[in-house]
Amino acid sequence: MSTRRHEGGSARDEVRDRRYLSACLDLAQMAEGETSPNPMVGAILVREDRILGQGYHRCAGKPHAEVEALTHAGDEARGATLYVSLEPCVHHGRTPPCVDALIEARVGEVIACMIDPDPRVNGRGFACLASAGIRVSHGLLASQALRLNEKFVRFITTGRPYVTLKAAMTLDGRIASAAGESRWITSVAAREEAHRIRYTHDAVLVGVGTLLSDDPLLTARWGRGKPLVRVIVDSHLRSPATARALSGEDGGSTLLYTLANPPDAARRALEGRSRVTVVPVPSRLGRVDLVEVIADLGRRKIMSVLVEGGGQVLGNALACGLADGIALFVAPRILGNAGIHVFSGLSLSGLPEAIPIREWSWREVGSDILIEGRMAHFPAGEIPACSPD
């Protein structure tokens, strides 16, 4: 295997390579929320510091980033250097392998941020290019590239979705009053940002309590919008057939997870709605097993899930070790004992059991603060080994 990690050459070469790879990451991110179940990828073709062509993967089924860059460059691609955020694919999917296009165009070198951990690729793309006489290297900005595609990496390496916990809460961690009133804890700006976060996921998950108290639409009203899979955890099938989330007004579908042998009348009424499916799953402590729900979503090729509540579901997700990331909107107000705690479904005995958050950050959103982070079990800084057969 002649693929090598990036060795840089001169410091000037590395500065140049980092600049173009960083630009590839920026291009890739332009399609955030659009490419599932594929990764986001950006590519730039360069010769003597002149950009010949560039592109990014816009959505599943559309040309890949490398092909867009080659199309723009035309005959000038021969002997040029391709910068790309992820190893070029070597397998047939909805589109032909990118390595074939690169070999046919006779590019001279491919410099990538990271390998593609998809078992169908995982170094084989680099090996194929190298065997055709194309110089290949990877490793620069690998951590940034992994962060960009962390949802894809989680899904493709484990078969389960990347799970983000999202909540809007007061300073003292309350997501609603004791009576269930939660509209609105946070500002308009925070709610708009919450829709953007929804847009970057494939599915949004809530418990039946949230459905009954808020009757949310659970749509992604950001940008041009997109269909979402709505996931309702409803142990005893209490969801009303008239719930707005079941309307499918955005073209998305709904999965209602319940315990085995649900009441026939309730099931018929719910499945009478367009694009609604009732899914019986095993129980855990008398309730729907959330681990089984997430596993089933993975089998349905759902790459990422935004868990929005309520407190029982959010706490249960933490207790079961399902959370990969968090997004907590914090409003400058206090509810005290009159409110419902954001993680009411989580019971810990003391500080030794406290769940650590890593790589966290915060920023102002309107009058509120958004705290984001990754759970300690998710290896956000580790790149899968390049080990083709």
Side-chain angles (χ1 to χ4, degrees):
M1 169 83 179
S2 57
T3 300
R4 60 185 173 84
R5 289 188 64 83
H6 192 280
E7 295 170 359
S10 70
R12 183 176 179 179
D13 288 341
E14 183 170 328
V15 169
R16 176 201 60 211
D17 293 348
R18 284 179 177 273
R19 184 174 76 249
Y20 284 121
L21 289 173
S22 179
C24 288
L25 294 173
D26 290 341
L27 280 170
Q29 192 156 21
M30 291 175 66
E32 188 175 24
E34 298 281 356
T35 62
S36 180
N38 295 342
M40 293 175 278
V41 183
I44 300 175
L45 267 167
V46 177
R47 179 186 287 112
E48 296 177 354
D49 239 8
R50 182 168 67 92
I51 294 177
L52 308 174
Q54 61 185 24
Y56 64 96
H57 183 42
R58 298 171 188 271
C59 65
K62 294 290 186 180
H64 288 190
E66 299 93 324
V67 173
E68 278 208 348
L70 288 171
T71 300
H72 292 158
D75 292 340
E76 287 193 283
R78 183 169 182 170
T81 297
L82 177 80
Y83 291 93
V84 62
S85 56
L86 188 70
E87 175 186 9
C89 66
V90 72
H91 59 286
H92 285 270
R94 298 193 202 181
T95 59
C98 289
V99 293
D100 290 355
L102 293 170
I103 291 169
E104 183 179 354
R106 298 187 178 183
V107 300
E109 183 174 14
V110 172
I111 300 175
C113 292
M114 63 175 282
I115 69 163
D116 184 344
D118 187 329
R120 297 170 297 178
V121 188
N122 194 29
R124 293 176 180 85
F126 289 143
C128 188
L129 293 169
S131 67
I134 297 172
R135 298 186 303 278
V136 292
S137 60
H138 71 279
L140 286 179
L141 306 189
S143 294
Q144 293 92 321
L146 179 57
R147 170 59 61 81
L148 176 72
N149 277 310
E150 60 190 350
K151 297 181 182 72
F152 169 77
V153 171
R154 165 60 79 193
F155 175 73
I156 207 67
T157 58
T158 67
R160 79 159 180 83
Y162 184 98
V163 176
T164 305
L165 307 187
K166 173 260 171 184
M169 64 185 193
T170 61
L171 279 174
D172 55 342
R174 310 296 170 173
I175 57 174
S177 68
E181 182 185 9
S182 62
R183 294 182 174 175
W184 296 103
I185 286 176
T186 52
S187 63
V188 172
R191 298 198 294 276
E192 289 176 352
E193 178 64 9
H195 277 280
R196 188 198 68 79
I197 293 173
R198 271 188 193 170
Y199 190 88
T200 66
H201 290 73
D202 295 340
V204 56
L205 183 155
V206 299
V208 66
T210 297
L211 198 72
L212 294 172
S213 62
D214 294 345
D215 194 19
L217 277 169
L218 300 180
T219 54
R221 301 185 293 279
W222 185 83
R224 63 178 182 177
K226 75 171 187 179
L228 288 176
V229 177
R230 281 167 285 282
V231 181
I232 314 297
V233 178
D234 184 358
S235 297
H236 304 292
L237 221 53
R238 294 186 293 144
S239 298
T242 55
R244 297 198 303 163
L246 308 186
S247 68
E249 70 170 38
D250 65 347
S253 59
T254 301
L255 297 169
L256 270 159
Y257 287 91
T258 190
L259 297 179
N261 303 313
D264 287 339
R267 181 170 189 164
R268 284 197 303 270
L270 290 165
E271 291 193 326
R273 299 296 300 269
S274 175
R275 299 175 63 81
V276 174
T277 304
V278 175
V279 186
V281 293
S283 68
R284 175 181 294 209
L285 301 177
R287 295 182 177 181
V288 163
D289 186 348
L290 200 55
V291 174
E292 278 296 319
V293 171
I294 297 301
D296 185 69
L297 293 175
R299 290 190 289 269
R300 294 173 187 269
K301 308 301 181 186
I302 293 171
M303 195 168 78
S304 58
V305 180
L306 184 66
V307 179
E308 293 202 5
Q312 285 291 330
V313 173
L314 290 165
N316 192 9
L318 278 177
C320 293
L322 294 173
D324 298 302
I326 61 165
L328 302 178
F329 292 90
V330 184
R333 55 180 68 186
I334 295 172
L335 259 178
N337 291 332
I340 299 171
H341 194 271
V342 61
F343 298 121
S344 55
L346 177 67
S347 179
L348 301 176
S349 61
L351 277 176
E353 294 184 13
I355 298 171
I357 309 297
R358 66 185 243 175
E359 299 181 30
W360 67 276
S361 62
W362 67 272
R363 55 190 169 95
E364 293 183 18
V365 181
S367 59
D368 309 306
I369 290 174
L370 172 59
I371 299 173
E372 295 176 290
R374 274 72 185 168
M375 312 310 292
H377 69 263
F378 184 62
E382 297 176 16
I383 307 297
C386 180
S387 54
D389 293 338

